[in-house]
Amino acid sequence: MKKIILSAALAIGGFGLFAQGNSEAEIRSMDTPWTNQVDEQPHGEYPRPQMSRENWVNLNGQWDYAIKPKGESVPSSFDGKILVPFAVESKLSGVGKNVGEDNELWYRRSFNVEPEQRKERLLMHFGAVDWEAEVFVNGQSAGTHRGGYDPFYFDITDLLNETSNQEVVVRVWDPSDDGPQPRGKQVKKPNSIWYTPVTGIWQTVWLEQVPNSYIAEIKNTPEFDQNSIKVSTRVEGAKEGFQVAVRLLDEGQEVASRTISANEAEVTLEVSNPKHWSPENPFLYDIEVRLRRGNEEVDRVDSYSALRKISMEADTDGIQRMMLNNEFVFQYGPLDQGWWPDGLYTAPNEKAMLFDIIKTQEMGFNMIRKHVKVEPARWYYHCDKMGMLVWQDMPNGDHGNKWEPRPGITGVGTEKERTSESEEIFRTEWKAIMDANYNFPSIVVWVPFNEAWGQFKTMEITEWTQAYDPTRLVNSASGGNFIMEGTKITGDMIDLHNYPDAAMPEASIFGKDQILVLGEFGGLGLPVEGHTWQDKDNWGYQSFENKEELMERYRKLIDALLPLIRDGLSAAVYTQTTDVEIEVNGLMTYDREIIKLDEHLLKELHQKLYEISIEP
């Protein structure tokens, strides 16, 4: 496909400042190796690999946009073009303007619907829109969605006009840090560890053609100890006599199958000679789900799953350990924030998104902690295929409570007293995030809170999370307030944040009931001239002048981890994968041009962490 030509104002050099637009805040930019490889229809890959169909149309590309005061009706005129799915503040959007809580961002584009598509239903999908989005089709509202990190769709069949040409308009409002909603690291005035706002569509928009009766949802649950996979389905518009047929495949060969009534909830597929999923052998079973009426195939979706188990079990000293497939595997990975200097929340293309995971694996990490951001489904799909374990954070919001970090344990502080609206927003989006990402076997840990950022009703939220998905472990508040009532601790882990040195929670106090985790440490900084977000005042938790000094200090951190693993530590998270804006404590520069530490040396160092044997 043709490459887009960015407007002259946005394409000069590798660094720059955008027009200030509707805010006084400056918006910076920085090129990556993929900036100039962005196609006219970016991210053209099928966006939902866990539930794929053939009949779909990608709506990414050039849309009209307008920034208008909040509360106005659909604009009669627009300001220019924006490249979807890049946030309006980003360079790759072609706009580079702030929006703010007093304004709304509007999108508009046309699309065609052919006569044969009218015989079935047409769904319009949005991978993610930050934060509140109302969708209009041919002037009629299809619906409103609130949530910046979960996918949603509307059935637009009944809103189509009689011609082939249709119009979609999207209204977006995002108050950034002026609102209580989950927002991760976004603030209207970036500083320190807080970054540029992300407003609007930032994941793929697409149309999906489905039958009048169709498979609306599937849920795949590995039952490792039973050598089986449970598949639940939900059929929209099921009629009498409809059946659901499910097949489990090993590289095209059927290993199990079952057929049930479309009104039944689930099937259990038992696997002979099971193949397990792990970082060393990330084997995935394919799943075919067909909706049938007699011999007629009404609908079909393709999915996949894996036999893997994450659990906790005490070792011979009575210390709780994190187990993968009933064996102790030390989990070590970087804090990964998923930010891009040209696309902000959105990687320039699939190659760029995959690059971070590949480099993480080549460096010898077996885990990634996805920090206060949720990625597109294809990111987790690649982790599934590559065998990368994932800890998934809930994006934070509504700050204001107290955090008191103490030596040897995590913080002991206060909880946020949220409004009922704020609580409802959190609960709704957390559930939606868990639902959307439930099928990815790479995700082994849910993290509802980080460092007391908006932390509230910790026990209630943690216990709900554990009950809602008992197949994963729950790290209730990474580095946050764990002790909420006397000495009672909630969740499966107690998680210490300690910079820069390696440390662990006190095993004699906490290890009998909780898995011991070093949720963040390191943060070693190295600014690389010509590859920083700004020329000066960049920072790391501890800064160095060259790669040799950095490597020597990093080596000492790894050496310090070894005895901690023997004493009870089950996992550690190093800060961080890449530099992000003014933070220069990444293993790579923000533009991904420079890898600061040799991957082969890192892999050799990290291998020692996995060789320590712990017996349950």
Side-chain angles (χ1 to χ4, degrees):
M1 287 187 287
K2 295 179 180 178
K3 306 295 186 290
I4 351 183
I5 299 174
L6 299 175
S7 66
L10 304 184
I12 298 173
F15 302 84
L17 298 178
F18 286 100
Q20 293 180 1
N22 292 270
S23 170
E24 295 180 357
E26 294 178 343
I27 298 184
R28 296 177 179 270
S29 69
M30 190 178 179
D31 282 358
T32 69
W34 307 276
T35 301
N36 294 319
Q37 298 178 12
V38 175
D39 294 315
E40 59 186 5
Q41 190 176 61
H43 292 278
E45 299 81 11
Y46 187 79
R48 192 185 58 189
Q50 269 285 0
M51 189 175 165
S52 63
R53 281 191 180 91
E54 292 184 355
N55 294 330
W56 74 287
V57 177
N58 192 320
L59 294 184
N60 292 343
Q62 295 286 350
W63 293 47
D64 298 322
Y65 88 93
I67 299 173
K68 301 294 184 182
K70 188 176 187 294
E72 291 191 357
S73 57
V74 177
S76 57
S77 63
F78 284 73
D79 300 342
K81 295 292 185 179
I82 185 170
L83 186 64
V84 170
F86 298 105
V88 67
E89 294 90 349
S90 73
K91 172 173 183 170
L92 288 175
S93 72
V95 180
K97 292 181 181 178
N98 278 312
V99 179
E101 68 163 340
D102 297 326
N103 296 311
E104 290 174 324
L105 173 63
W106 293 85
Y107 295 83
R108 181 183 67 185
R109 72 157 288 167
S110 61
F111 61 97
N112 290 327
V113 175
E114 303 304 326
E116 61 269 19
Q117 293 178 289
R118 295 176 178 274
K119 299 176 183 178
E120 298 185 315
R121 311 301 295 179
L122 197 61
L123 311 180
M124 181 172 284
H125 291 263
F126 294 81
V129 182
D130 197 357
W131 172 69
E132 177 184 273
E134 184 174 11
V135 179
F136 302 85
V137 176
N138 296 321
Q140 301 180 71
S141 178
T144 300
H145 177 267
R146 284 179 147 198
Y149 301 92
D150 59 300
F152 63 96
Y153 68 89
F154 298 114
D155 186 333
I156 65 169
T157 311
D158 297 335
L159 304 181
L160 301 176
N161 62 38
E162 295 180 357
T163 70
S164 62
N165 187 259
Q166 317 292 326
E167 181 185 76
V168 56
V169 172
V170 182
R171 175 192 62 82
V172 177
W173 176 63
D174 179 16
S176 189
D177 52 323
D178 287 317
Q181 82 289 348
R183 58 179 171 83
K185 291 288 197 79
Q186 304 174 58
V187 293
K188 60 183 181 292
K189 294 182 179 179
N191 67 93
S192 184
I193 64 170
W194 311 105
Y195 316 137
T196 303
V198 173
T199 303
I201 298 169
W202 67 275
Q203 289 186 30
T204 293
V205 185
W206 54 292
L207 293 172
E208 181 182 32
Q209 184 180 342
V210 298
N212 291 314
S213 300
Y214 63 94
I215 301 160
E217 181 182 342
I218 57 175
K219 186 176 181 180
N220 307 323
T221 304
E223 297 179 316
F224 183 87
D225 293 326
Q226 289 75 41
N227 293 327
S228 63
I229 295 174
K230 185 166 63 178
V231 180
S232 303
T233 60
R234 180 174 67 83
V235 176
E236 188 75 24
K239 297 178 182 179
E240 186 176 351
F242 277 35
Q243 292 183 313
V244 173
V246 185
R247 298 175 71 214
L248 192 68
L249 304 163
D250 176 347
E251 297 181 354
Q253 298 299 310
E254 181 180 299
V255 295
S257 64
R258 283 203 51 198
T259 300
I260 58 172
S261 166
N263 294 319
E264 292 184 53
E266 62 191 29
V267 299
T268 297
L269 303 173
E270 297 179 356
V271 183
S272 301
N273 303 313
K275 297 179 180 179
H276 300 156
W277 183 97
S278 68
E280 295 76 25
N281 181 39
F283 181 82
L284 300 172
Y285 287 98
D286 291 320
I287 297 176
E288 291 180 359
V289 182
R290 289 181 168 89
L291 179 63
R292 290 176 174 168
R293 180 172 51 192
N295 293 325
E296 177 192 2
E297 182 175 292
V298 178
D299 190 21
R300 169 180 168 171
V301 294
D302 293 318
S303 185
Y304 65 88
S305 189
L307 280 172
R308 72 100 183 88
K309 176 185 178 182
I310 188 74
S311 59
M312 60 187 292
E313 186 176 347
D315 63 18
T316 53
D317 295 322
I319 304 298
Q320 294 293 338
R321 297 286 187 162
M322 186 155 45
M323 312 293 282
L324 180 67
N325 300 340
N326 296 325
E327 295 180 357
F328 175 71
V329 175
F330 185 75
Q331 297 190 21
Y332 184 52
L335 192 77
D336 191 305
Q337 306 203 63
W339 282 77
W340 297 84
D342 48 5
L344 299 180
Y345 260 11
T346 310
N349 56 25
E350 182 97 344
K351 284 183 179 179
M353 181 176 66
L354 189 54
F355 177 85
D356 282 3
I357 308 172
I358 290 172
K359 285 301 172 186
T360 299
Q361 192 169 66
E362 288 178 351
M363 292 175 184
F365 295 101
N366 65 2
M367 174 263 282
I368 293 171
R369 179 183 167 201
K370 181 51 64 175
H371 187 45
V372 296
K373 182 201 175 190
V374 182
E375 293 289 353
R378 292 194 65 84
W379 187 89
Y380 301 96
Y381 164 69
H382 288 299
C383 289
D384 291 345
K385 289 179 65 178
M386 294 171 62
M388 184 62 69
L389 300 164
V390 176
W391 295 15
Q392 180 59 56
D393 286 14
M394 170 64 176
N396 57 284
D398 206 358
H399 294 193
N401 50 307
K402 190 177 182 181
W403 178 50
E404 295 181 354
R406 299 183 183 180
I409 61 170
T410 50
V412 181
T414 61
E415 293 195 287
K416 171 73 174 178
E417 293 186 9
R418 294 196 180 205
T419 65
S420 57
E421 180 191 24
S422 175
E423 283 197 23
E424 181 62 25
I425 288 170
F426 179 97
R427 295 174 193 271
T428 299
E429 190 155 3
W430 184 222
K431 178 180 180 298
I433 289 168
M434 292 177 65
D435 286 341
N437 297 289
Y438 179 88
N439 285 347
F440 295 113
S442 55
I443 299 176
V444 293
V445 175
W446 297 119
V447 188
F449 299 110
N450 176 77
E451 288 187 2
W453 296 349
Q455 188 177 340
F456 76 102
K457 296 184 178 178
T458 308
M459 287 189 174
E460 181 182 335
I461 297 298
T462 300
E463 290 171 4
W464 178 88
T465 303
Q466 289 174 308
Y468 193 65
D469 183 5
T471 71
R472 293 178 170 96
L473 297 173
V474 178
N475 184 355
S476 66
S478 182
N481 299 327
F482 275 79
I483 303 174
M484 307 312 302
E485 293 180 8
T487 59
K488 187 175 181 182
I489 303 171
T490 188
D492 299 311
M493 304 179 185
I494 183 124
D495 176 331
L496 174 68
H497 289 186
N498 193 79
Y499 287 101
D501 293 306
M504 65 182 284
E506 181 58 53
S508 62
I509 299 175
F510 303 107
K512 303 299 181 183
D513 299 309
Q514 254 80 29
I515 296 167
L516 305 175
V517 168
L518 176 57
E520 292 180 27
F521 81 115
L524 306 180
L526 177 64
V528 180
E529 186 176 354
H531 298 274
T532 56
W533 187 245
Q534 58 191 30
D535 292 335
K536 60 181 181 178
D537 298 327
N538 297 288
W539 73 278
Y541 287 95
Q542 183 178 1
S543 294
F544 297 87
E545 294 185 357
N546 56 62
K547 292 183 178 181
E548 290 73 25
E549 290 181 0
L550 179 65
M551 187 67 200
E552 183 58 30
R553 183 70 174 94
Y554 184 84
R555 189 188 303 274
K556 291 179 180 178
L557 292 181
I558 298 302
D559 288 343
L561 276 178
L562 297 172
L564 299 182
I565 299 171
R566 298 185 185 96
D567 290 343
L569 190 68
S570 279
V573 178
Y574 178 81
T575 301
Q576 62 183 327
T577 305
T578 72
D579 297 346
V580 184
E581 300 205 352
I582 70 169
E583 292 185 56
V584 291
N585 47 28
L587 294 161
M588 298 183 281
T589 55
Y590 195 17
D591 57 10
R592 277 71 168 177
E593 290 277 10
I594 305 296
I595 299 172
K596 300 179 187 180
L597 298 176
D598 183 272
E599 302 104 296
H600 303 294
L601 290 178
L602 288 177
K603 189 167 187 176
E604 287 181 10
L605 275 178
H606 298 161
Q607 188 59 37
K608 296 186 293 184
L609 303 174
Y610 312 130
E611 292 173 351
I612 297 176
S613 178
I614 303 295
E615 296 298 327

